[in-house]
Amino acid sequence: LYRASQADYGPLSAGFSRVDSAVHWKGAAIPEALGELGASTSSLSVKRAASQLAWVYANGEGAGDLRAYAEGLLALQQQKLRQFHSQLALAGVLFIVFSSLAPAFFSSAVALGDFLEWRFSPTDILIAYLVVFPLVDLALLFYVYEKTPKLFGL
């Protein structure tokens, strides 16, 4: 528990630090302290892992189940990462389109507007360049931020 609390696992290290201090300073049983770790988080993965650790500690067996659970979590994270990469590639293409190609085509449409019988007022052009294109770019960046996988599901 001490090594896990000192490692760089982000919020999970803080949780193991609480478990370690509860066991060593407050005299709590390890399964109870691990149960409190599971109860203190909203992450279903952390809840299940804490429960598995407590069961293995209490019964002295089932480490193979714990390993299988860890491998399942790893496979799930790898699948989410692959899905994120494909979404990121699409978002990257859309970002390029809306940050450079769409404004360039709009400039061409404005320049050829009289020839094609399209009318753009100066206000339309300002709104397009100062509001519409930047908002689309911000929306795409926010989409990528929201789709980024979170570490340990926290």
Side-chain angles (χ1 to χ4, degrees):
L1 291 173
Y2 177 76
R3 277 191 247 155
S5 69
Q6 298 302 310
D8 187 20
Y9 298 136
L12 197 56
S13 292
F16 277 116
S17 179
R18 286 193 310 272
V19 170
D20 185 52
S21 66
V23 169
H24 287 97
W25 298 109
K26 296 178 184 173
I30 290 178
E32 291 172 10
L34 287 170
E36 289 178 20
L37 172 66
S40 69
T41 183
S42 62
S43 169
L44 187 58
S45 299
V46 173
K47 286 180 189 279
R48 286 182 181 167
S51 173
Q52 284 278 336
L53 281 171
W55 193 84
V56 168
Y57 181 81
N59 295 320
E61 58 184 42
D65 295 337
L66 189 59
R67 181 179 300 274
Y69 180 69
E71 289 171 357
L73 280 178
L74 180 62
L76 180 64
Q77 286 179 344
Q78 288 172 340
Q79 185 266 337
K80 284 183 179 181
L81 192 58
R82 283 191 297 272
Q83 181 182 7
F84 171 70
H85 280 285
S86 64
Q87 291 173 345
L88 184 63
L90 176 64
V93 169
L94 289 176
F95 185 79
I96 290 170
V97 166
F98 285 108
S99 65
S100 59
L101 296 177
F105 286 138
F106 184 71
S107 293
S108 299
V110 169
L112 297 173
D114 289 335
F115 179 71
L116 297 174
E117 298 181 7
W118 292 343
R119 304 286 182 246
F120 295 103
S121 71
T123 306
D124 294 338
I125 297 168
L126 277 175
I127 289 174
Y129 281 108
L130 297 179
V131 176
V132 175
F133 294 129
L135 280 179
V136 172
D137 290 341
L138 282 174
L140 285 168
L141 290 173
F142 182 73
Y143 171 78
V144 169
Y145 174 77
E146 284 298 314
K147 290 296 182 177
T148 303
K150 306 299 184 257
L151 185 62
F152 299 118
L154 298 175

